[in-house]
Structures are given as C-alpha cells and as structure tokens.
Amino acid sequence: MKKKWLMPLILMTTAVALYGCSSGNNGQGPVASQGGSNNSGSESPKPNVTLKYASWMSKGEDKPIIEAFMKANPHIKVEEEVIDGGQYSQMLQTRILSDDAPDVYLLPFNQYTQYATEGHLYDLSNEPGMQLMIDNPLVDQAFQINGKRFGFMVNAGTPVSPIYYNKKIFEKYNLDVPTNAEEFLAVNQTLKDNGVEPLVFGAKDAWTLSGTLYTAIFRSYALPKTDGDIFYALAKGDVKPSEVIDYPLQFIADLVKQGYVSEASSTLTYDQSVQYFADGKAAMLPQGTWVPTLDPIVNADSASFELGAFMPPVPRADGIIHAMSNGDRMLVVSANTKHPEEAKALFNFFVNPDNLKPYLEEQSLFTVLKGLDIQTAPVLQDYVNGFSADDVSVVIGSRSAVTPAFSKEVDISLQNILVGSSVEAELKRLDEEFGKTKDQMVVKE
Amino acid sequence: MMRYRRRLDLLYALLFVLPALTLFLTFKYYPLSMTMFYSLTNWDGFSRSYQFVGLDNFISVFSDSKVLGAFYNTVYFAIVSILLGTVIQLGLALILVNRIKGAKVFRTVLYMPAVISALIISMTWIAFFQYNGIINQTLKLVGLETLAHNWLAHPIITIHVLIVINIWQWAGYGMIIYITGLQAIPTEINEAAALDGATGWRKLRLITLPLIMPAVTINMFISITGSLRVFELPFVLTGGGPMNTTNTVTMSIYNTAFLSNQFGYASSIGLVFFLFIATITLIQLTVTRRLEVEY
C-alpha cells in the first residue's frame, strides 16, 4: 500500500523541483536579469555572482546606482568598498599587487594611463556603454590608449572650480562679485577690515587647496606656456615645475600673507570647512560643483546664509581664460576580474545615460559629455554658462599626468605655504621632488 | 630502546616547535629576506620587472634630505619622549605604589590609553588641538586668547604636541612596569635604608633606582623601539606636516613605497633603520643591564 503512494509522490516532488528551477521563476531561485543583461526564457538560470566595487565616495553617492543594478540583476551581488580618498591610490595599488583588485572601481584620472598601459584594466572598447564617449570625439580621443578604451569618464573635473560666497555677508558689506584678481583682493581686504574671515579651505585634506583655487590659477597660467598640454610638457622636460607653478603658488602665498585665509584652514578637514562656511564663519569657500547639494549648505540658516558662486580670479593670456577639463572619476573594470561578463554589465549599467544623468545631477557634478543634458544647480547656472563664452578656451585631457607622488608634493607645498613657508623654498623643493618620479610619467604620443 | 625513545622525544619536540617555526618563517623571516632582496633592486612595487642596482639604494639613503629630515624628527621625538616619559612614568609609579586612597582607580585610568588604538587616540586628539578645537575654544572662553595657537600646523610647536600625546598614552603602561619593579624591592632593604637615614632623592638615587634597574631595562627597550617606530600619531594628526617637521622614518618608508612607487628604495630605508634600532637597543640593553644590581 505504501509503495503505491511512493512513486507518484516522488514524481510530483521531482516535477515541482524541476518547475522551480525553470525559467518561469517564482522568486525561489535566481532570476534572469532585467535591463543590465538580457536573458531569454529558454536560457538556464545564471549562477549567483558577487562583484567587488571600490570607490572613494564616502557619503554613499554610488549606493543608489549600485542598488538599482542589483535590483535589475538579482543574481549579481555587488559589495561596495569605500576607501579613504586620501589613501585611495596607495590602497588600490596594494590591492592590485596582491591580486585582489576590485572587479569594478573608480580610478582617479592621473592613474588611468599608467594602469591601462601596465595591463591592469579590462579593454572596454566594444562595450555598448562606451557609445556616449564615442559620440564625443574630443573626449574619446583624450581617453584612448593605443586605440583602445579602458575606462569611462563618469564626470569631468570642472575646467575652473568656482568660489562660493555667502550672499548675506556680501550684501551686509555692500560687496559685488569680483571679476578679476584686483577686485577679488579688494573684496578680501574689505571683509578682513570688517573682522570677517574672507576665505576658508579644508587644508587638512590637501586636495581642497590644490584641487580648487590653485588648480584653476595653475592651469590658466600654465596652459598658454605649454602649448595647451602642461603635463606633456613637464614629462618631456620642456618646462620645470617651478616655471609653471610659480604664479599660482605666489598668489596663494599672498592671500595667506595678507591674512585673507582663515587660520583654521590648515587643520580643518573638507567636511569641516564646508560646515565652517555654512555657519557663516568665513565668507568664501573655493570648492567643486557638488557643494550646493551638501547637507550643511542645504540645511544652513537662511537668515544668515545664502549661497552664491563666481569664477575665480584666473589670469588671462591675450584676453583668453585657458582652462582644462580632466576626467575626475574614471569607471574601469579590472583586467583580472573573475567575472568579466557581470563586471561589464555593471559598467554598462552605470554609464547608461538613463542612470548616469540622475547620478550626476543629484551630486551636481560637471560633465563635458554632450548628449546627457545635465540640469545644473541654479546657483551655478551663470558660472557654467561662462564656459561657453568666447573668452574661455577649454582643452580636454592631457597626453600625460604627473605621478601621485608629485601631486602629493604639490599638496604638501600648498600646506606649507599656508603655514608660512616661502614660495622660493617650495619651488626648489618641487623641482627636486619632480625629478625623483619624472621617469614614472606615462606619455601618450 | 633508549635511542628509539630519544628519537621519539626529538620528533615530539620538533612537532611542537613546527607551528611556531612555520609562522615565524612565513610572517617574519620570509618578508625580511624579501625586503633584503628588494633593497638591491629598483622595483617600483607594481610592475613585474625590475633591475638590480647593487648598493645604490643604500648610498642614496644617506644623501636624501627627506629621509635625513625624517630621521632627525624621529630621533628628536624618541629622545624627548623617552626622557620626559621616563620621569613621568617613574614619578607616577613612586606615588601610586603607596597604599593611598584611590590608587587602584588612578592606575587603571592611567593605564587605559595604552590599550586604545593609536589611531583612535589620534582622531580624538584632533578635536582638541585643531585651530578651532576644544583647547583654543577653552582658552578664548577664559580670556587667554593670546595663548591660542595653531597646534597642529606650527613648525615648532606641532612635534611637541605629538610628544605630549605620546607620553600621555604610554605613561600608565610604563608606570605599571615601574610599580612592579618597586614592589619587588624587599621591604627590609627599604627599612634598612630608612634606619640609616636615607630619604628622598638620596634614597631614590642610591637604593631605589639601582634596585629597579631590571624594570628600567624593559621599559627603556619598549620605549626606544616604540617611539622610533612611531607612525599612526603623525600620520593621522599631521600627515607629516607642517613643513615636514613631523615626518617620521616610518612615514617616509610608507610614502616612498606606496606613493613614490620606489619599493626597492623604501626597503633599503627600512633595513638601514632596522639596523639603527637594533644597534641602539643593543647599546641600551648592555648599559642598563650593567647597572642592574643583585640583592
């Protein structure tokens, strides 16, 4: 009697199990991906895969796009690793050395050429996600290495980072937005005379000093002296660092000497400097385009704070402002990934215009890619429009990049200037330090 | 039978030693031998190829202004930390070795920083020493604004701030070792000294110090190696600045290897510094051991 029931029971169980594993998934097993990678109903279910994704986005900036990807591709789990921005290059390097590179990661532009040349990056030339860059030939050309494409320029560093100001303070002292260096210095002096700290940086995180006002002035000053490619000229030995860094360093040193830079700057972190500015303790903050979206700015007391932005006082050559836009965040795939198809799926999902556009807009990031139609934060509208003016010349990318070691030395020089070191001593030191790692600069002919 | 037994004993002994030996060989001697190997190359720490450069890296160490500057900073940090630290540790031990009320609580409280990670300690102290941090705010509050400084960005003051934090962190640790040494002194020696009229400084110099020399030997050894290898404190608090005044040798090694991509050169700096620390500690052990007395 028992045996009579046993056979139908086994058959039923087998049938149910087979149905559960079929393409008609009812939520019990892995499902076909949607959007990220196509999978027809007749294909066998995809095995579960875990990808590692690394970036220096410490405030969860990448989380929405990663979560959306996982939702669209339930068989792919993405483990997000946030590495401190200050140590990102070193940490990434040690990971690659120990054969533990993340599958997909954001790469700072100055390491892109080196990593691609040394074979650490996956060739993404034929990926559909690359189309947006291909549609922008100038950008595409700038990021090709030996005719291949190894990364996508998620966002571009702004050609000239803005200086934010507190409109309420400017109104109180009847100040107009400065349009050149003389007016800028005059504004600083007025603020100082009235007991207001004019400028604040978060110089404990040195990039807040080197990546904003200094870079803007440096590029505008150095580009005309180097035929539009500073780093190539440096790599080739056509110019010494001291010949192109002298003016921007002197400009910052003068600001410090005149007492226009808040003394707190040297020990404030980036986050603290934004809070300092939002609290009305300083009138101006040189920073990136993402500032309008930051919590301290959004939540600032509207009675004493209103955000404004203007173009920094960069030097002109023959009436032209020379500027340069580099990749800021490059999205790449590791050449050693064990899951190339899934890693490419994440890459393509990330750079898909439908996903990339909100990603950039939510963070108020800048791009030079035409076709994305990014809505700029209202406070930056005039500033961004300024780049299409006739007197602004923007070059994209460079055929070389200074080493992270030299970038760090520039950071140190600026930090030293902030605490009173002389420009001469720093220029001498920078020339010496540049010589130590110059041979590591990768040049794209 | 005896020979078999002895062989079995030897086998057992080897089996017991094997795990420790494997760990030592894998995690100590193998990396050390690789460091020695790389110090003779120009390996960038990244690419698969490198060239042998002989002793070039070692020659460069002695003419590199950055390394020499870091060496000076490290030695200065170590000397001041050890001298002041020893005085404070010993002073605390002499007070808290007595059966005074709350001695155990004080000992525990003073020892606590030693068990906290240097990284966390550094992060905590940032809040105090920043320009707009707790110390300057307090000074302003009590009308002593003129005493406010940029503690972490002053070419002269900053290294001393690091020294103070370092001394504070290890005060309790050294104190416990000294207390152990003081408690090991037989009571009859102290009583005899008291009967002979030895008190205060005279008793400390002639009786106590010679008798706690084993504790001094251990403490000095730990202090010297610890302070010469200082890394987290300047790394977190100052990043080696301002003007490289807090850049230490260990930071220099780290930056040379992982920032400048000169792994071979960084290995040679490490080896030279290793030899320096070994020499100093050897001298220290010889001297302090010689000062130890038997009782």
Side-chain angles (χ1 to χ4, degrees):
Chain A
M1 187 68 181
K2 276 180 187 173
K3 276 183 184 173
K4 263 187 177 178
W5 283 99
L6 195 64
M7 192 50 80
L9 197 69
I10 290 170
L11 284 170
M12 267 178 70
T13 314
T14 313
V16 169
L18 282 172
Y19 179 77
C21 292
S22 76
S23 56
N25 196 296
N26 60 0
Q28 300 298 308
V31 292
S33 65
Q34 306 153 13
S37 52
N38 293 325
N39 194 14
S40 69
S42 59
E43 280 178 34
S44 58
K46 293 186 172 180
N48 289 334
V49 165
T50 301
L51 289 179
K52 283 181 182 168
Y53 169 80
S55 79
W56 62 91
M57 300 300 121
S58 60
K59 293 186 173 58
E61 293 93 329
D62 298 345
K63 213 169 263 306
I65 211 164
I66 298 289
E67 280 172 0
F69 172 75
M70 287 197 284
K71 202 175 168 191
N73 299 274
H75 71 292
I76 306 176
K77 185 185 170 195
V78 182
E79 283 179 359
E80 198 184 347
E81 296 175 58
V82 178
I83 301 170
D84 173 45
Q87 300 298 317
Y88 194 77
S89 302
Q90 294 96 306
M91 296 300 284
L92 203 56
Q93 191 163 324
T94 50
R95 294 281 299 272
I96 289 171
L97 260 179
S98 54
D99 210 13
D100 183 34
D103 299 287
V104 184
Y105 54 98
L106 288 184
L107 185 67
F109 166 74
N110 61 359
Q111 284 165 288
Y112 171 69
T113 309
Q114 187 197 358
Y115 276 39
T117 313
E118 291 184 357
H120 300 297
L121 306 182
Y122 202 95
D123 180 4
L124 300 164
S125 301
N126 300 318
E127 289 309 304
M130 276 296 179
Q131 194 54 48
L132 191 62
M133 255 174 66
I134 295 168
D135 291 343
N136 289 267
L138 270 178
V139 181
D140 187 40
Q141 193 61 39
F143 293 101
Q144 276 189 37
I145 313 282
N146 300 326
K148 290 178 179 172
R149 302 174 182 94
F150 295 92
F152 187 95
M153 185 182 71
V154 172
N155 70 312
T158 40
V160 182
S161 285
I163 294 181
Y164 295 96
Y165 69 102
N166 186 340
K167 283 184 179 175
K168 299 284 181 188
I169 296 179
F170 270 48
E171 277 166 17
K172 187 177 177 185
Y173 299 108
N174 206 20
L175 293 168
D176 292 325
V177 165
T179 56
N180 56 44
E182 290 73 33
E183 288 176 15
F184 179 67
L185 295 173
V187 164
N188 276 277
Q189 188 59 46
T190 308
L191 288 165
K192 189 190 161 196
D193 291 345
N194 285 286
V196 178
E197 292 180 10
L199 284 158
V200 67
F201 295 92
K204 182 153 198 307
D205 295 325
W207 66 268
T208 64
L209 195 57
S210 59
T212 56
L213 184 59
Y214 162 81
T215 298
I217 297 173
F218 164 62
R219 288 175 177 172
S220 308
Y221 173 69
L223 280 167
K225 293 178 97 178
T226 54
D227 285 337
D229 198 333
I230 311 163
F231 305 125
Y232 182 80
L234 281 167
K236 286 286 176 187
D238 297 340
V239 287
K240 286 194 292 183
S242 59
E243 291 167 351
V244 284
I245 291 176
D246 53 348
Y247 175 76
L249 224 52
Q250 189 62 57
F251 191 86
I252 305 273
D254 288 344
L255 292 178
V256 175
K257 201 174 168 188
Q258 297 295 327
Y260 298 155
V261 179
S262 163
E263 267 207 80
S265 295
S266 49
T267 54
L268 287 178
T269 61
Y270 155 65
D271 289 326
Q272 289 173 326
S273 68
V274 175
Q275 190 64 60
Y276 200 84
F277 172 62
D279 288 345
K281 291 177 181 168
M284 292 180 279
L285 172 78
Q287 252 304 341
T289 53
W290 53 84
V291 162
T293 64
L294 299 176
D295 285 345
I297 302 295
V298 175
N299 301 325
D301 180 6
S302 58
S304 59
F305 183 86
E306 189 185 346
L307 190 67
F310 63 87
M311 185 85 90
V314 292
R316 288 169 182 260
D318 298 327
I320 302 283
I321 291 175
H322 291 268
M324 176 181 163
S325 181
N326 259 346
D328 180 24
R329 303 174 197 176
M330 301 291 298
L331 187 70
V332 298
V333 173
S334 166
N336 295 324
T337 177
K338 290 181 178 71
H339 311 290
E341 292 311 313
E342 289 79 6
K344 283 190 285 184
L346 173 57
F347 170 83
N348 286 316
F349 185 89
F350 203 123
V351 301
N352 183 313
D354 291 340
N355 300 322
L356 191 58
K357 188 173 167 354
Y359 175 83
L360 296 172
E361 283 177 348
E362 275 160 27
Q363 295 173 64
S364 185
L365 292 175
F366 188 81
T367 181
V368 288
L369 294 174
K370 285 171 185 150
L372 273 177
D373 190 26
I374 297 293
Q375 296 299 308
T376 312
V379 70
L380 291 170
Q381 200 60 62
D382 290 343
Y383 155 79
V384 171
N385 290 344
F387 293 127
S388 38
D390 292 338
D391 60 347
V392 179
S393 159
V394 180
V395 293
I396 296 168
S398 167
R399 283 177 288 168
S400 189
V402 290
T403 60
F406 185 68
S407 296
K408 174 84 176 172
E409 292 302 333
V410 174
D411 286 351
I412 291 171
S413 278
L414 286 161
Q415 285 174 323
N416 289 348
I417 291 285
L418 209 57
V419 294
S421 182
S422 76
V423 173
E424 293 72 28
E426 293 307 322
L427 289 174
K428 188 170 172 250
R429 201 181 64 79
L430 284 173
D431 279 342
E432 278 173 22
E433 292 299 329
F434 181 72
K436 289 180 186 173
T437 56
K438 180 173 172 280
D439 292 344
Q440 293 173 20
M441 287 178 78
V442 180
V443 177
K444 217 169 48 161
E445 292 294 355
Chain B
M1 187 66 187
M2 275 294 280
R3 276 179 71 182
Y4 172 75
R5 187 72 191 248
R6 280 174 68 180
R7 274 187 188 173
L8 204 65
D9 283 350
L10 188 70
L11 190 70
Y12 277 131
L14 278 172
L15 274 173
F16 278 110
V17 169
L18 197 63
L21 192 69
T22 312
L23 286 173
F24 261 93
L25 285 174
T26 313
F27 297 109
K28 291 278 178 192
Y29 296 111
Y30 174 70
L32 184 65
S33 55
M34 288 311 288
T35 304
M36 284 177 183
F37 174 77
Y38 286 129
S39 70
L40 303 170
T41 71
N42 65 352
W43 188 43
D44 62 4
F46 208 54
S47 53
R48 310 223 181 271
S49 61
Y50 50 80
Q51 288 164 337
F52 281 94
V53 292
L55 295 173
D56 284 2
N57 285 337
F58 290 93
I59 295 164
S60 301
V61 170
F62 295 98
S63 56
D64 187 334
S65 59
K66 215 178 197 178
V67 175
L68 294 176
F71 179 76
Y72 170 81
N73 295 337
T74 310
V75 170
Y76 181 79
F77 176 89
I79 291 175
V80 181
S81 289
I82 293 164
L83 290 178
L84 277 177
T86 304
V87 172
I88 289 167
Q89 288 164 0
L90 192 58
L92 287 170
L94 286 167
I95 296 166
L96 294 177
V97 74
N98 300 308
R99 283 179 186 164
I100 53 173
K101 204 176 176 184
K104 280 184 183 170
V105 176
F106 276 117
R107 281 187 210 174
T108 312
V109 169
L110 285 165
Y111 186 77
M112 269 163 67
V115 295
I116 302 171
S117 147
L119 208 68
I120 293 166
I121 287 198
S122 307
M123 303 285 274
T124 310
W125 280 108
I126 285 178
F128 282 82
F129 284 109
Q130 266 189 326
Y131 187 75
N132 57 340
I134 294 167
I135 292 176
N136 279 353
Q137 297 281 2
T138 310
L139 288 170
K140 279 176 194 168
L141 213 67
V142 296
L144 295 170
E145 205 170 333
T146 46
L147 294 178
H149 283 98
N150 216 339
W151 304 101
L152 296 177
H154 191 286
I156 297 165
I157 294 173
T158 306
I159 183 88
H160 297 100
V161 170
L162 299 191
I163 290 170
V164 167
I165 297 172
N166 188 52
I167 291 172
W168 165 82
Q169 188 184 2
W170 298 109
Y173 186 83
M175 173 197 74
I176 294 292
I177 297 175
Y178 285 129
I179 285 177
T180 315
L182 288 167
Q183 284 173 336
I185 301 173
T187 4
E188 53 267 32
I189 295 182
N190 275 327
E191 284 167 1
L195 283 172
D196 289 341
T199 50
W201 170 244
R202 204 173 148 80
K203 184 187 165 194
L204 176 72
R205 192 166 59 88
L206 299 173
I207 309 290
T208 312
L209 275 180
L211 291 178
I212 61 160
M213 260 305 155
V216 175
T217 304
I218 296 166
N219 232 343
M220 290 294 261
F221 178 79
I222 295 168
S223 301
I224 290 171
T225 51
S227 53
L228 285 175
R229 289 183 305 158
V230 63
F231 179 80
E232 296 97 327
L233 216 53
F235 188 76
V236 177
L237 278 160
T238 63
M243 298 185 200
N244 282 331
T245 51
T246 59
N247 188 31
T248 60
V249 177
T250 45
M251 278 184 70
S252 207
I253 293 168
Y254 175 79
N255 286 332
T256 307
F258 297 110
L259 198 66
S260 304
N261 292 344
Q262 295 173 297
F263 213 93
Y265 182 45
S267 301
S268 65
I269 303 171
L271 278 177
V272 171
F273 197 54
F274 164 73
L275 288 175
F276 174 75
I277 294 179
T279 311
I280 293 291
T281 46
L282 209 68
I283 294 169
Q284 175 258 315
L285 285 172
T286 314
V287 172
T288 50
R289 277 269 166 85
R290 217 174 266 173
L291 294 171
E292 286 176 16
V293 289
E294 283 188 26
Y295 52 89

